[in-house]
Amino acid sequence: MHNTNMGATIPEYIRSLGVRGELAHAYAIEHRSDEVACGTAIAIAQSLYCTDVSKPCGVCGPCMAIARKEHTAVVHIIPDGESLKIEHVRAMQRAIAYRTEDGRMMVAVVHHAETLTLPAANALLKTLEEPEEDVLLLVLVEQWTSLLPTLRSRMQRITPQGGALCAADIVAQYPSVAERDAVLMSAIAPSWAHVQVWVSAEWFAQLR
């Protein structure tokens, strides 16, 4: 399990694994707040496609497109009711079968994985057992143990927690920032300079 008390933000950690060729095919992002889990997944995807030196900047074209869920290389499956059904997973499988034009990684984000029906979970298991090349699967879940053991055994667990920046310090510096947003910023922001930009950034506001 990785948390951001280990010296790097989660996006930095994932990018460093990619550089070293040690990136796993799938990670479960566990947090009781869907906004924090989703924001972490978006920041990971942004870090892979950001055009700025300090990744993710949150304000370049690719970062903005990813935040709006409009980037063609980042696929989201979201329940349209109380559960994620097999047709959602199959739609994701069809989407990730295609490669990006520039050859970079595709990212598939599974929201509210605790709501997977058994057929959907089995379909997702097939994706995990036969992973596509250059596809990163991010599974968002409120509680790790709500996933089937067969799924857990094929992905690594990430729990967003405070990194180098403290959520309480962010709230003290920026009283308008909600505690939930400060927790997310502390998990994904590489520096105070990023926090200063993100406080008023459109993409971060869309996560709230």
Side-chain angles (χ1 to χ4, degrees):
M1 177 178 69
H2 175 79
N3 65 57
T4 54
N5 288 324
M6 295 173 65
T9 67
I10 290 173
E12 289 173 329
Y13 171 69
I14 294 295
R15 286 189 66 248
S16 69
L17 291 177
V19 169
R20 299 198 302 267
E22 299 174 358
L23 191 64
H25 289 292
Y27 294 87
I29 302 176
E30 177 193 30
H31 202 277
R32 65 182 181 276
S33 166
D34 180 63
E35 289 84 359
V36 172
C38 180
T40 301
I42 284 175
I44 289 172
Q46 287 175 328
S47 73
L48 298 174
Y49 282 91
C50 181
T51 57
D52 193 77
V53 174
S54 182
K55 306 175 187 294
C57 71
V59 296
C60 68
C63 280
M64 291 296 292
I66 290 169
R68 293 192 296 263
K69 298 184 176 67
E70 296 174 354
H71 199 289
T72 57
V74 183
V75 178
H76 294 263
I77 62 167
I78 303 172
D80 56 10
E82 295 183 355
S83 61
L84 274 172
K85 302 176 180 64
I86 190 169
E87 51 263 35
H88 295 117
V89 177
R90 285 176 174 166
M92 178 197 73
Q93 291 169 333
R94 289 192 296 270
I96 64 178
Y98 298 95
R99 292 291 167 268
T100 56
E101 293 180 0
D102 57 13
R104 281 191 287 180
M105 178 174 293
M106 285 197 71
V107 179
V109 184
V110 180
H111 294 253
H112 298 287
E114 66 277 359
T115 70
L116 283 161
T117 64
L118 184 56
N122 288 333
L124 182 61
L125 177 61
K126 182 174 176 62
T127 298
L128 294 171
E129 289 175 333
E130 303 172 4
E132 295 279 352
E133 187 178 356
D134 296 328
V135 172
L136 176 63
L137 184 64
L138 301 175
V139 178
L140 314 186
V141 64
E142 289 185 3
Q143 189 172 11
W144 169 249
T145 53
S146 67
L147 297 173
L148 291 176
T150 49
L151 295 178
R152 297 200 305 265
S153 68
R154 288 167 174 82
M155 63 180 76
Q156 296 189 22
R157 178 185 179 192
I158 293 176
T159 304
Q161 297 178 16
L165 306 181
C166 174
D169 290 341
I170 293 174
V171 172
Q173 184 73 20
Y174 300 97
S176 63
V177 175
E179 181 180 354
R180 178 194 65 198
D181 298 333
V183 170
L184 173 57
M185 285 187 180
S186 71
I188 67 176
S191 68
W192 276 105
H194 284 76
V195 172
Q196 184 177 9
V197 172
W198 292 358
V199 163
S200 58
E202 176 188 345
W203 79 269
F204 197 88
Q206 292 174 341
L207 300 180
R208 301 174 188 176

